[in-house]
Amino acid sequence: MTRQDMPPERRPWGSLEADVLAMLRAAGEPLTPAQVQAGLDGAAAYNTVQTVLTRLQEKALTQRGPNPHGGRGHVYWATHDTATAVAQQMRELLDGPGDRRAVLREFTAELDPADAEVLRALLGQVRGDPA
């Protein structure tokens, strides 16, 4: 079987959503689905990009509005920067089922010493301890 006969490699699960979000965050302005598709260098079909944008909107990771240049289409933008979005996901996971203390223990057990020091300092600020 030649390389041409092989099916295309599949993207890792969630990577297209991550790429689209990264592009929206970096753009500095709302983008149309066509602009997002072009930014992906043709790695996804227009309909696929539109579906991803719709799903990201359903997850409240993006918002959409009318295209300011007219037409029937919409423009999309990220609702939060990366740090805010990741922190929100972490809170949602902690609020889910399971032992919250165990999750935090496992998370902190794997922290790099420098990250652990940053976390200690941030926790001190929350408690009002001197920096």
Side-chain angles (χ1 to χ4, degrees), residues 40-84:
L40 295 171
D41 296 326
Y46 179 87
N47 288 344
T48 302
V49 170
Q50 182 64 56
T51 299
V52 168
L53 289 166
T54 300
R55 288 185 180 161
L56 290 171
Q57 182 185 3
E58 290 168 355
K59 295 176 182 181
L61 296 171
T62 63
Q63 292 182 349
R64 78 174 187 185
N67 189 336
H69 305 292
R72 294 182 356 199
H74 293 91
V75 291
Y76 293 81
W77 61 92
T79 54
H80 303 291
D81 62 17
T82 302
T84 302

Side-chain angles (χ1 to χ4, degrees), residues 82-93:
T82 302
T84 302
V86 171
Q88 182 179 349
Q89 289 174 332
M90 291 170 66
R91 283 190 296 273
E92 289 171 4
L93 290 170

